[in-house]
DNA sequence: TCTGGGGTCCTATGCCTT
DNA sequence: TCTGAAGGCATAGGACCC
């Protein structure tokens, strides 16, 4: 049996742990740049604030209803997440950390065990030790555990936050209740297509022919169908596979048309990727650069483009990665476009101890020493003390974070004080 | 004025090699 | 030397997740 543990309104719950005045009040946490709502308390949901609501459009509703608004504080959420995960791993060695607020547990040999009350214990312990409320769904497959979890969240009074699907009757009842668009793995587009052919619930989906699902929704869709039918095909992924790409992408405050300004940003993004690479001891052998205009300004010229640049040898040097990123930008940059967003993604990662050498061209060995020195100075003196000439030398672009809460658990001088 | 960021997997296509 | 089949690889794009 699989259990899916999901933290309720996770980011809001993290803020509430250290600020109990927020309990029973509408609270939202905004995305990076204070762009849109990405976590809402139940009270905020009841006000009709949808997921992804742009903050500027909901300003009035926030004020009118005294909604408590926070910028996202990822260091805090990451730390709270690892506390929750470490409690969960006390209950079983078979755990897959699926995201910052979710984990799958696998229970083997629990056939004669009361899983429901076992999971109640887990729930109570997590709440007692961290202050984070969670919901648990238990079922024979991962996709059904997701469904069960949804039920436990939707009906907290009846389920007490834990729901078990352990019979055909319960499975079918749950699938008939679940809208097709709410099924894990069915996104916006597939939902639209399925509703067009009168597939409205998860149960309807399971009544489709395997061949149709395979043809129209690939093996991914077919796997999902099997899972919903109760045949487990997705197993726990316990060891986290190393990253395959590292991205640094940002939206701009306004829009940018000037090549030099975009170049400065791209160069900074590239260096940020290089730093991330070095911190996990990796190299990359290709760099993807993209730019795009503001998709919401429909009356203006729309342009989006990206390009993959391959380096002759694998590297994590600021200079090389920045150089190729800027080279790529030069190829895709178009004049008279209002750019809103850009980014660099490094791909083809391998370990820096074990990377492919090139017979003819290799990195200047001085780079390695230089990067080591730069990392050392940045660590000691703070980020962005050292810059490449291609970066913006005057000011440092900063993310908008006007409503940031303190880093209660990860910065000594911001630790909570008890009087 | 103001709409996030960071990932994964799968498939189609075209080119190259065996 | 030509040809077709089949597999490997790179690339782009689509779809999904949190």
């Amino acid at each position: 049996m699989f259990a899916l543990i999901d933290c309720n309104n996770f980011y809001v719950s993290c803020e509430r742990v250290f600020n109990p005045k927020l309990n029973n009040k509408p609270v939202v946490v905004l995305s990076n740049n204070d762009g849109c709502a990405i976590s809402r308390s139940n009270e905020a949901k009841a006000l009709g604030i949808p997921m992804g609501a742009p903050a500027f459009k909901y300003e009035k509703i926030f004020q009118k209803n005294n909604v408590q608004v926070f910028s996202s504080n990822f260091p805090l959420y990451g730390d709270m997440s690892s506390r929750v995960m470490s409690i969960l791993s006390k209950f079983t060695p078979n755990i897959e950390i699926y995201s910052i607020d979710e984990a799958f547990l696998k229970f083997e040999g629990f056939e004669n065990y009361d899983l429901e009350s076992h999971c109640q214990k887990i729930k109570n312990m997590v709440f007692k030790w961290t202050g984070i409320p969670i919901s648990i769904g238990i079922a024979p497959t991962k996709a059904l555990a997701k469904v069960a979890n949804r039920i436990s969240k939707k009906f907290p009074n009846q389920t007490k936050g834990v729901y078990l699907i352990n019979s055909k009757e319960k499975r079918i009842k749950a699938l008939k209740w679940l809208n097709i668009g709410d099924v894990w793995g069915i996104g916006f587009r597939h939902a639209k297509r399925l509703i067009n052919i009168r597939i409205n619930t998860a149960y309807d989906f399971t009544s489709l022919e395997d061949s149709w699902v395979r043809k129209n929704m690939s093996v991914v869709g077919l796997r999902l169908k099997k899972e919903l039918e109760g045949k487990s095909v997705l197993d726990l992924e316990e060891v986290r596979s190393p990253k395959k790409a590292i991205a640094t992408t940002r939206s701009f405050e306004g829009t940018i048309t000037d090549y030099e300004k975009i170049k400065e940003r791209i160069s900074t993004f590239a260096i940020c990727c290089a730093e991330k690479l070095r911190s996990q001891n990796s190299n990359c052998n290709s760099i993807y650069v993209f730019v795009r205009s503001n998709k919401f300004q429909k009356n203006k010229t729309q342009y989006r483009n990206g390009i993959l640049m391959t380096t002759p040898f694998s590297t994590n040097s600021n200079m090389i990665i920045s150089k190729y990123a800027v080279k790529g930008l030069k190829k895709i940059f178009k004049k008279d476009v209002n750019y809103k967003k850009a980014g660099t993604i490094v791909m083809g990662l391998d370990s820096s101890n074990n990377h492919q050498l090139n017979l003819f061209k290799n990195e200047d060995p001085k780079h390695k020493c230089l990067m080591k020195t730069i990392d050392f100075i940045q660590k000691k003196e703070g980020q962005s003390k050292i810059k490449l000439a291609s970066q913006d030398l005057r000011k440092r672009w900063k993310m908008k974070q006007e409503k940031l809460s303190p880093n209660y658990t990860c910065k000594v001088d911001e630790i909570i004080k008890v009087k």
Side-chain angles (χ1 to χ4, degrees), chain A residues 246-250 265-266 268-274 276 288 290 342-346:
Chain A
I246 293 176
T248 307
T249 71
R250 291 286 178 279
R265 294 293 171 85
I266 288 290
T268 304
F269 296 156
I271 287 162
C272 187
C273 284
K276 290 179 190 171
Y288 184 78
F290 74 87
T344 64
I345 305 169
V346 288

Side-chain angles (χ1 to χ4, degrees), chain A residues 96-228:
Chain A
E96 172 188 344
I97 298 172
Y98 182 71
S99 73
I100 193 162
D101 73 328
E102 273 178 60
F104 284 102
L105 305 186
K106 192 173 179 182
F107 293 112
E108 276 172 329
F110 279 69
E111 285 74 20
N112 302 315
Y113 208 82
D114 182 357
L115 272 179
E116 247 172 319
S117 57
H118 188 59
C119 285
Q120 281 292 352
K121 274 186 211 154
I122 298 180
K123 194 188 126 185
N124 294 338
M125 186 180 280
V126 169
F127 187 72
K128 197 170 173 189
W129 290 13
T130 65
I132 300 286
I134 61 173
S135 302
I136 307 183
I138 317 152
T141 72
K142 284 169 105 177
L144 285 171
K146 270 270 187 188
V147 178
N149 183 278
R150 206 177 175 87
I151 294 171
S152 71
K153 267 211 180 108
K154 197 84 183 175
F155 306 100
N157 296 330
Q158 293 95 314
T159 61
K160 303 266 177 294
V162 176
Y163 190 70
L164 169 70
I165 296 180
N166 59 350
S167 68
K168 193 178 170 192
E169 292 71 36
K170 278 173 126 180
R171 179 175 68 82
I172 288 176
K173 194 177 165 195
L175 294 185
K176 284 188 173 166
W177 167 81
L178 187 64
N179 286 331
I180 188 68
D182 294 332
V183 176
W184 181 46
I186 303 282
F188 171 74
R189 273 160 235 267
H190 281 322
K192 213 169 144 188
R193 281 182 67 192
L194 288 165
I195 288 168
N196 268 336
I197 57 163
R198 300 222 183 94
I199 302 296
N200 294 308
T201 66
Y203 183 75
D204 297 342
F205 178 66
T206 57
S207 69
L208 287 166
E209 290 283 330
D210 279 3
S211 54
W212 188 92
V213 176
R214 174 67 181 82
K215 197 177 155 215
N216 291 279
M217 299 173 67
S218 85
V219 291
V220 184
L222 190 56
R223 280 204 285 253
L224 175 64
K225 180 170 179 258
K226 297 287 160 209
E227 285 264 313
L228 293 175

Side-chain angles (χ1 to χ4, degrees), chain A residues 345-393:
Chain A
I345 305 169
V346 288
M347 300 158 124
L349 308 193
D350 57 27
S351 153
S352 40
N353 307 324
N354 180 27
H355 69 271
Q356 188 67 45
L357 297 170
N358 186 308
L359 190 55
F360 303 106
K361 278 187 180 170
N362 275 305
E363 189 168 278
D364 184 340
K366 285 180 189 159
H367 279 212
K368 209 173 173 180
C369 302
L370 182 58
M371 290 306 122
K372 227 176 163 175
T373 312
I374 288 180
D375 288 340
F376 177 76
I377 297 173
Q378 305 269 44
K379 207 172 165 190
K380 207 172 155 198
E381 304 291 332
Q383 291 293 313
S384 67
K385 288 280 173 193
I386 300 179
K387 289 184 174 185
L388 289 188
S390 55
Q391 289 180 268
D392 185 350
L393 301 180

Side-chain angles (χ1 to χ4, degrees), chain A residues 10 137 147 167 178 206 234 238 277 301 305 308 315 356 370 377:
Chain A
F10 183 55
V147 178
S167 68
L178 187 64
T206 57
L234 301 173
E238 290 171 59
L277 277 175
T301 320
N305 204 354
L308 188 71
T315 176
Q356 188 67 45
L370 182 58
I377 297 173

